Amino acid sequence: MSDLRDLYQEVIFDHNRNPRNFGALQGANRLARGHNPLCGDQLTLYLKVEDDVISEAKFDGHGCAISTASASLMTERLKGMKVADAEALFDSFHDVLTKDDAPVDAASLGKLSVLLGVKEYPARVKCATLAWHTLHAALGNQGEMASTE
Amino acid sequence: MNLRSLSGSGAQKPLAVVKQGSPALDVTRVRADFPILQQEVHGKPLVYLDNAATSQKPQRVIEALTHYYTHDNSNIHRGVHLLSERATAAFEGARDKVQRFLNAADRREIVFVRGATEGINLVAQSYARPRLAAGDEILITAMEHHSNIVPWQMLCEQTGAVLKVAPINDAGEVELEEFCRLLGPRTKLVSVVHVSNALGTINPVRDMIRAAHDIGVPVLLDGAQAAPHTAVDVRELDCEFYVLSGHKLYAPTGIGALYGKAELLEAMPPYQGGGDMIRLVTFEHTEYNSLPYKFEAGTPHIAGVIGLGAAIDYVSELGMDAIATHEDALLRYATAAAADIPGIRLVGTARDKAGILSFLLGRVHPHDIGTILDHEGIAIRTGHHCAMPVMQRFNIPATARASFALYNNEDDVDRLIAALHKVIEVFG
Ligand SMILES: Cc1ncc(COP(=O)(O)O)c(C=O)c1O
């Protein structure tokens, strides 16, 4: 089971069991829904953006351990972040998971690096990126359903 | 429709009754016929329980493909040379095998298609479309695979017809009285799944067909899951159409069969135009070929058809009744063993059920179950199983699904159960 532990790290179990920032956000001014049609995962991301800074981030919905932990970790990280920096983080996180040769900047990923285990599980990469696609949609204010497909 | 006649009929009659003296399946021997099963996955012997998605192929089928490509490969029907004659004989021989397998009256009633999906689309476009007016109805059930929903929705868009859906109960059984109530003067076709891929339910198709026929409505059965697991007799069922997918029946992907009653097929326009489906072509006029060639435009999947024939030989020699009995016993064994797993919830508990175990496990998401099982060498499917409305009916996003085939045994089930205990351990 040692390699499974690379995927299901303790931090992931913790965030799956007790997701942070879970629930609807009153006063949100950015909202997007994400859907992974492959496994039925669905989440709604709520952001409050003031002066180009994300002051609040919450989510709700249902998903597997990876997608729930990813959303939980992401919302933790987003608070206080500039919109442009959040977009840059989306790009680098997405690249790290989906491109073989993308450089891993452990310092900038911080706690998010517990999600890197999914790289070895192609079927699970989309679980980890769902929240992030939804973030991208919310920031782009596309106001539509973000999909992993 | 007289409902009383329904309740007194054999709604729960098992699909296959074991004939006295029919030999039981020798699973150890059978497993040796499937080379793919002899491998390890993540360091553990493979347990393949994703058979409802696609089945593995016996050596016999693999050899039929190799033999065809090594010795007989050529185009069929028009060749004057020996290879073409051999290929044509093998291709048409497979049609006879499918005919016997389904007990169709006439080989012309067997049309080769890519799979159940294409068979349903063919019936939708060729049979139903010319006959439908706005307001006419197609009746399906709430447990259909997307391939028996979307073609009808497309048809409804084209014609203004309306799709009616018979509800299912909490066990995943069709509500027969509702089904009968929905059958009406505007119903032009009933299309129902014989065995549900998401729930395992075996539908009371005899009763459904009788009810439809009582008011003169033809019936299409989606046999994608039924054909591999039980003997199918289209004459006894008296359905107008029946579709199956080869790849779920130990044959290659990309090949399947549509059965249709000859008089209906005769009256239908071709599905696609092209070579092989014509008798005579001029720019002014084209004369279509006779059945079944009218529906087989273009060069078909010749190797696939030959592989399907080999697969039918294989299961026929083992005996469909013996296969059904074996899988039924395995399902009962697995269902009993699963009952002891804390937090398990079976989705689909019909009284009449085929070898499919769809379940949820506590709060663990099916996707996580699937990954952990994979690590234990066990292949199952997780998700909506191309039956999103079934998930909506049970108000769940997905299930984990173990599905059995003739080569699965109690060891496979034991490994599955042990791995599910591991899932609980890992997820605490
Ligand atoms: C009940 C049922 N119908 C239809 C299909 C479609 O079969 P195919 O994809 O082979 O055309 C499937 C396959 O999953 C099925 O399970």
Side-chain angles (χ1 to χ4, degrees):
Chain A
M1 261 327 215
S2 58
D3 42 350
L4 250 192
R5 287 280 168 209
D6 293 341
L7 176 64
Y8 292 112
Q9 299 194 30
E10 216 30 71
V11 177
I12 288 181
F13 281 130
D14 175 35
H15 279 259
N16 179 46
R17 244 174 254 130
N18 306 299
R20 320 296 195 266
N21 309 307
F22 191 83
L25 174 64
Q26 299 301 319
N29 56 9
R30 303 283 176 89
L31 180 149
R33 292 197 177 82
H35 180 218
N36 182 345
L38 285 180
C39 48
D41 287 6
Q42 239 153 8
L43 74 84
T44 305
L45 179 68
Y46 309 86
L47 301 176
K48 195 169 188 179
V49 178
E50 294 166 311
D51 300 330
D52 259 359
V53 173
I54 300 171
S55 57
E56 281 290 340
K58 293 185 81 172
F59 77 102
D60 59 20
H62 52 77
C64 65
I66 306 296
S67 83
T68 303
S70 179
S72 173
L73 288 159
M74 181 186 83
T75 51
E76 256 190 345
R77 179 68 180 272
L78 288 178
K79 281 191 229 178
M81 234 185 179
K82 283 198 180 121
V83 167
D85 292 344
E87 282 284 19
L89 185 62
F90 162 77
D91 286 336
S92 61
F93 184 73
H94 191 260
D95 284 357
V96 152
L97 289 188
T98 57
K99 296 198 178 121
D100 281 343
D101 50 357
V104 178
D105 180 352
S108 91
L109 283 177
K111 216 168 157 187
L112 297 173
S113 51
V114 298
L115 293 162
L116 295 185
V118 300
K119 279 199 82 147
E120 301 305 314
Y121 298 80
R124 305 303 301 273
V125 167
K126 286 173 176 167
C127 307
T129 56
L130 175 62
W132 297 80
H133 282 288
T134 314
L135 168 68
H136 186 59
L139 292 178
N141 228 349
Q142 294 156 345
E144 59 192 43
M145 195 84 145
S147 172
T148 52
E149 295 306 290
Chain B
M1 169 65 201
N2 178 0
L3 276 176
R4 292 194 52 182
S5 74
L6 260 187
S7 52
S9 70
Q12 298 307 326
K13 196 163 91 185
L15 278 173
V17 179
V18 187
K19 289 185 208 103
Q20 286 296 319
S22 116
L25 207 63
D26 180 352
V27 182
T28 311
R29 212 202 74 205
V30 159
R31 289 177 77 83
D33 295 336
F34 289 81
I36 205 167
L37 298 178
Q38 329 296 324
Q39 69 181 297
E40 295 199 335
V41 165
H42 298 297
K44 317 236 166 66
L46 169 65
V47 171
Y48 187 79
L49 295 174
D50 194 15
N51 296 288
T54 198
S55 62
Q56 299 303 346
K57 320 306 173 199
Q59 192 63 42
R60 167 94 71 100
V61 169
I62 298 167
E63 270 163 20
L65 300 181
T66 309
H67 181 92
Y68 168 70
Y69 282 125
T70 310
H71 300 284
D72 300 338
N73 177 56
S74 77
N75 213 328
I76 51 170
H77 292 151
R78 293 174 301 276
V80 290
H81 55 80
L82 182 63
L83 263 51
S84 178
E85 275 169 29
R86 288 207 299 253
T88 304
F91 181 88
E92 291 301 333
R95 196 187 308 277
D96 297 333
K97 291 173 187 182
V98 177
Q99 180 206 338
R100 282 195 294 273
F101 183 68
L102 295 177
N103 195 30
D106 188 335
R107 67 189 310 280
R108 298 179 310 139
E109 297 179 317
I110 306 300
V111 177
F112 288 120
V113 288
R114 280 192 299 141
T117 302
E118 191 177 40
I120 295 169
N121 278 279
L122 192 160
V123 174
Q125 292 301 316
S126 249
Y127 173 78
R129 190 173 179 178
R131 286 172 177 74
L132 287 186
D136 284 345
E137 295 168 3
I138 305 288
L139 178 57
I140 63 172
T141 76
M143 71 176 92
E144 302 306 325
H145 187 279
H146 294 160
S147 62
N148 197 27
I149 301 173
V150 183
W152 307 116
Q153 290 174 326
M154 292 165 62
L155 182 67
C156 288
E157 217 153 83
Q158 291 158 345
T159 60
V162 182
L163 188 61
K164 294 284 177 179
V165 184
I168 56 177
N169 63 22
D170 289 341
E173 295 162 324
V174 69
E175 293 181 18
L176 258 188
E177 289 181 21
E178 274 303 299
F179 173 84
C180 293
R181 208 183 53 74
L182 286 166
L183 271 174
R186 302 234 59 175
T187 313
K188 289 293 177 302
L189 184 72
V190 166
S191 187
V192 295
V193 72
H194 192 173
V195 171
S196 154
N197 66 309
L199 301 165
T201 309
I202 300 172
N203 269 319
V205 290
R206 285 176 187 78
D207 294 327
M208 297 167 94
I209 290 167
R210 194 175 325 127
H213 284 182
D214 275 355
I215 58 164
V217 174
V219 179
L220 161 62
L221 291 184
D222 170 3
Q225 297 294 341
H229 304 298
T230 186
V232 175
D233 182 333
V234 291
R235 266 187 288 179
E236 198 249 320
L237 288 169
D238 199 29
C239 57
E240 276 62 33
F241 300 103
Y242 198 95
V243 295
L244 61 84
S245 283
H247 70 96
K248 297 183 198 280
L249 182 62
Y250 312 104
T253 54
I255 192 65
L258 161 70
Y259 158 81
K261 285 184 179 171
E263 67 269 25
L264 276 75
L265 292 177
E266 292 281 14
M268 286 156 57
Y271 177 52
Q272 294 180 328
D276 243 17
M277 52 74 70
I278 46 79
R279 188 169 288 137
L280 179 99
V281 176
T282 67
F283 284 116
E284 288 71 40
H285 172 72
T286 290
E287 213 174 282
Y288 302 133
N289 207 335
S290 54
L291 289 183
Y293 309 107
K294 181 170 82 174
F295 294 107
E296 293 179 355
T299 302
H301 185 7
I302 303 168
V305 166
I306 292 169
L308 176 57
I312 285 175
D313 282 345
Y314 181 75
V315 294
S316 302
E317 281 164 28
L318 294 174
M320 286 312 296
D321 293 337
I323 292 170
T325 305
H326 167 70
E327 291 178 358
D328 199 39
L330 208 53
L331 175 69
R332 267 181 284 136
Y333 180 78
T335 307
D340 293 335
I341 297 174
I344 200 164
R345 173 184 158 201
L346 298 187
V347 180
T349 48
R351 270 176 300 167
D352 210 5
K353 215 183 138 178
I356 285 170
L357 210 61
S358 234
F359 60 92
L360 299 167
L361 192 55
R363 287 182 55 223
V364 188
H365 192 281
H367 221 155
D368 295 314
I369 300 173
T371 294
I372 293 173
L373 262 51
D374 177 46
H375 262 264
E376 296 297 312
I378 302 167
I380 62 156
R381 177 135 303 217
T382 67
H384 52 61
H385 318 296
C386 290
M388 283 186 177
V390 173
M391 302 299 120
Q392 288 149 18
R393 164 64 178 77
F394 288 93
N395 201 16
I396 51 180
T399 75
R401 180 188 71 187
S403 50
F404 305 116
L406 54 83
Y407 39 68
N408 291 119
N409 57 17
E410 293 188 357
D411 283 350
D412 292 344
V413 174
D414 293 344
R415 290 264 310 276
L416 170 70
I417 300 294
L420 290 176
H421 280 289
K422 196 149 212 166
V423 171
I424 295 169
E425 190 187 305
V426 170
F427 272 79

